[in-house]
Amino acid sequence: MKLSTKGRYGIKAMVDLATEYESGEKLSIAQLSERQGISYAYLEQLIALLKKAGLVKAARGAQGGYTLAKTPENISVGEVLKALEGSTALVECVGTDGTDCENVCSCAARPLWLKLQRRIDDVLDSTTIKDMAEDYIIQKERLNS
Amino acid sequence: MKLSTKGRYGIKAMVDLATEYESGEKLSIAQLSERQGISYAYLEQLIALLKKAGLVKAARGAQGGYTLAKTPENISVGEVLKALEGSTALVECVGTDGTDCENVCSCAARPLWLKLQRRIDDVLDSTTIKDMAEDYIIQKERLNS
DNA sequence: ATATATCCGAGTAAACCGCTCGGAATTATT
DNA sequence: AATAATTCCGAGCGGTTTACTCGGATATAT
């Protein structure tokens, strides 16, 4: 029941990108990895997933880098996690892809998993990258004062 | 972010045991594994964890078996999962053991993880094995009619 | 005594995690 | 045109976890 570093690192990178969204500045993998303390080569892979999911845009070549593909308030945390982890489902049988386990009707635990999943998705879908970026900026200011 | 079979199988076994709680009947590993479709030797290990956590009682020897150590309404799903998986924490830094990551104050994601974890624990702690057993019995009746 | 159980430790194949590495392709700068 | 900076991509890899199996020791009702 653990969230992997993929999800955690990816979220951090997205939040960092969000702080530059207004200015339109790009951030390179090198910058992101330095600022967030994530291994360069590993982060590269995570960003590739985010790009494939249409959450970030890349500019190739020298002076290139990444920007968010949408406004931060239009990117939910759930979307990001889904891109990185494949799914936010706690158990396969309550995933959004409609795959049900063979004994849906007789599974004692299914109602519990459904309830749990609904609560989780509530939070993930209602929290945006913008929300997180705002918290992040406030935190950074507090540290500097 | 997946729940392992340990948790899922263990919950199923506990719910099955709860259905026999009133009658005081014991269930052996063989019976539980047959009724719930779980490998015998694997289930043995899971039950050992539940026993260590004081959730089930064992009667050794011939005609032995297991019973719940407490009334089903006094066993929360959260307790059971904790016994089986070690913790219900999604990320280490919000676990109940007080271990915080090195950059608690500067982590952009921490508020999100805290909120998420609170929602999860709400459900897990407020749902009891009795609740689940009741659902289970209703389901079985529906199947037979 | 015997059959039926729990108890216990070890082993194991496969998957997953958290990376690293090497190089190809693209583009701004000089 | 050359160079440096960057994204893009696939492969590999050591360690851990998962989901089991197996072999036996121990306890106990019959």
Side-chain angles (χ1 to χ4, degrees), chain A residues 76-94:
Chain A
S76 74
V77 169
E79 260 179 292
V80 178
L81 285 181
K82 205 176 299 172
L84 293 161
E85 312 242 338
S87 147
T88 62
L90 219 48
V91 294
E92 289 81 359
C93 77
V94 295

Side-chain angles (χ1 to χ4, degrees), chain B residues 21-39:
Chain B
Y21 185 76
E22 297 271 313
S23 70
E25 292 292 315
K26 284 167 277 191
L27 287 177
S28 66
I29 303 262
Q31 289 173 309
L32 280 169
S33 94
E34 215 277 322
R35 287 159 62 145
Q36 297 298 324
I38 303 169
S39 139

Side-chain angles (χ1 to χ4, degrees), chain A residues 21-92:
Chain A
Y21 185 75
E22 297 271 313
S23 71
E25 291 293 314
K26 285 167 276 190
L27 287 177
S28 66
I29 304 263
Q31 289 174 310
L32 280 168
S33 95
E34 215 278 319
R35 288 160 62 146
Q36 297 299 322
I38 303 170
S39 137
Y40 179 99
Y42 189 39
L43 180 59
E44 219 178 350
Q45 294 183 8
L46 307 186
I47 296 279
L49 291 173
L50 294 171
K51 196 196 158 201
K52 218 173 74 181
L55 296 171
V56 301
K57 275 188 306 190
R60 303 188 61 173
Q63 312 307 319
Y66 297 91
T67 52
L68 294 186
K70 303 191 282 183
T71 61
E73 63 261 39
N74 279 322
I75 303 177
S76 74
V77 169
E79 260 179 292
V80 178
L81 285 181
K82 205 176 299 172
L84 293 161
E85 312 242 338
S87 147
T88 62
L90 219 48
V91 294
E92 289 81 359

Side-chain angles (χ1 to χ4, degrees), chain B residues 28-29 40 44-45 51 58 60-62 65-66:
Chain B
S28 66
I29 303 262
Y40 178 100
E44 218 178 350
Q45 294 183 7
K51 197 193 158 203
R60 301 189 63 171
Y66 297 90

Side-chain angles (χ1 to χ4, degrees), chain B residues 28-80:
Chain B
S28 66
I29 303 262
Q31 289 173 309
L32 280 169
S33 94
E34 215 277 322
R35 287 159 62 145
Q36 297 298 324
I38 303 169
S39 139
Y40 178 100
Y42 189 39
L43 180 58
E44 218 178 350
Q45 294 183 7
L46 307 186
I47 297 279
L49 292 173
L50 295 171
K51 197 193 158 203
K52 216 173 76 182
L55 296 171
V56 301
K57 275 187 306 190
R60 301 189 63 171
Q63 312 308 318
Y66 297 90
T67 51
L68 293 186
K70 304 192 281 183
T71 61
E73 63 261 38
N74 279 322
I75 303 176
S76 74
V77 169
E79 260 180 293
V80 178

Side-chain angles (χ1 to χ4, degrees), chain B residues 117-136:
Chain B
Q117 191 66 47
R118 202 164 45 234
R119 300 297 174 86
I120 290 173
D121 287 335
D122 272 355
V123 175
L124 296 182
D125 294 341
S126 69
T127 309
T128 70
I129 293 296
K130 187 188 181 191
D131 298 331
M132 298 189 66
E134 281 167 357
D135 285 354
Y136 186 45

Side-chain angles (χ1 to χ4, degrees), chain A residues 99-112:
Chain A
T99 54
D100 287 329
C101 61
E102 73 283 352
N103 55 348
V104 182
C105 303
S106 66
C107 177
R110 192 173 155 82
L112 174 68

